[in-house]
Every structure is written in structure tokens, then in C-alpha cells.
């Protein structure tokens, strides 16, 4: 069982840098890697591509919710980073696995209100992974927040899904 929508922060949740301060544009491909103007690599934490694939396979909507001050660079990174194929699907740009991108500065309450307005999905059917405790404020809306102090990996992801399941079974009781 999964929530209808899973959202991810970007910086230090899906990759290990701040895209607006640690990276200098333009980003470009260098072999299989994505690098910035100084050769600094931009890459997902290793379990991320597989997690995105698993969610897609379950029909779960995927969103990115970031308050970065460099939205175009964040989108470019998602465009250049590729998610390997599997038996069912070919390799593709990571951005194609996201159903919605909410990438702009400010409180993430705004990001989730926009997601809710666009998708009609109830907040309690949304699970959010983010490395910054301040963004827990989205729980005011009913979103389930899961802190990822060292980024998303399989164990953290599974723990988030379990936390969401507990919450939903409580609210149904
Ligand atoms: Mg972050």
C-alpha cells in the first residue's frame, strides 16, 4: 500500500548539494555524468532512481517540492539526470518520472496547496520526504512528513511509507 502522491525535496534529499549555491551553471553531460561549469558532479543518491521507478510502477504520483532560489538549474538537473531502464521501460530523463514540479522559494505550505489544487488528492494521501525540520510545517495541512537527515535511501523511504500507513490506519479508525 502506498499513498496516492509522494513528494520529494531536492537538495540533500535527492542529491547531496544545494543547487543554488554549490553549483555553477550551465550544467552539462560529461560521459554518463552530469557536471557543472567547474566539473562538480550532480547526481542522485544511489537508491533514488530505483525508488522513483518503484513508485511509477505502483501508479503513485511523484512530485518535487523545493524552495531553491535556482529553479531553472534544478529543472535542468532533473532533465539531464537519467533514470536507468528496467524490463518494462527504457532509460529516460529523471524529469519525466515527475508528475509535477513545485520549485520556487518560500514556505512549502504554498507548494503543497498548489499540488492539492492541481491534483485534487487529499493531503493525507501525500507523503513528503525532506531533510529540513522546518518544512515539517506541511503537517498542518495533513501531509505526512518524513525527515531524511542523510538523504533518501531505501531504508528511509520504506520507513516513510510505514509511517504513512500507520497514520492512515489511525485516521480511518
Ligand atoms: Mg533540502
Amino acid at each position: 500500500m502506498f499513498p496516492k502522491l509522494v513528494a520529494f525535496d531536492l537538495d540533500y534529499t535527492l542529491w547531496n548539494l544545494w543547487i543554488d549555491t554549490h553549483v555553477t551553471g550551465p550544467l552539462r553531460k560529461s560521459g554518463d555524468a552530469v557536471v557543472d561549469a567547474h566539473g562538480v558532479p550532480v547526481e542522485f543518491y544511489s537508491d533514488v532512481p530505483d525508488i522513483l521507478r518503484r513508485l511509477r510502477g505502483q501508479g503513485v504520483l511523484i512530485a518535487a517540492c523545493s524552495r531553491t532560489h535556482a529553479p531553472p538549474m534544478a529543472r535542468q538537473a532533473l532533465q539531464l539526470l537519467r533514470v536507468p531502464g528496467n524490463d518494462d521501460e527504457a532509460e529516460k530523463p529523471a524529469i519525466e518520472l515527475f508528475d509535477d514540479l513545485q520549485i520556487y522559494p518560500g514556505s512549502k505550505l504554498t507548494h503543497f496547496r498548489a499540488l492539492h489544487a492541481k491534483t485534487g488528492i487529499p493531503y493525507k494521501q501525500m507523503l513528503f520526504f525532506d531533510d529540513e525540520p522546518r518544512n515539517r510545517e506541511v503537517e498542518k495541512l495533513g501531509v505526512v512528513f518524513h525527515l531524511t537527515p542523510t538523504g533518501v535511501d531505501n531504508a528511509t523511504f520504506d520507513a516513510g511509507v510505514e509511517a504513512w500507513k500507520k497514520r492512515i490506519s489511525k485516521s480511518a479508525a
Side-chain angles (χ1 to χ4, degrees), residues 9-13 130-132:
D9 168 51
L10 295 174
D11 297 344
Y12 291 101
T13 295
D130 192 305
D131 67 298
E132 284 191 74

Side-chain angles (χ1 to χ4, degrees), residues 45-60:
Y45 291 118
S46 58
D47 293 345
V48 167
D50 188 50
I51 289 167
L52 296 177
R53 281 274 184 224
R54 278 163 65 193
L55 288 171
R56 294 290 287 199
Q58 296 292 327
V60 175

Side-chain angles (χ1 to χ4, degrees), residues 1-3 6 8 47-62 83-84 86 88-89 97 129 152-162 165:
M1 190 168 74
F2 282 97
V6 173
F8 299 95
D47 293 345
V48 167
D50 188 50
I51 289 167
L52 296 177
R53 281 274 184 224
R54 278 163 65 193
L55 288 171
R56 294 290 287 199
Q58 296 292 327
V60 175
L61 292 189
I62 303 175
V83 172
N86 59 15
D88 302 322
E89 283 193 279
L97 279 82
F129 293 93
V152 166
D153 59 19
N154 285 328
T156 310
F157 175 75
D158 291 344
V161 172
E162 286 307 311
K165 279 188 204 167

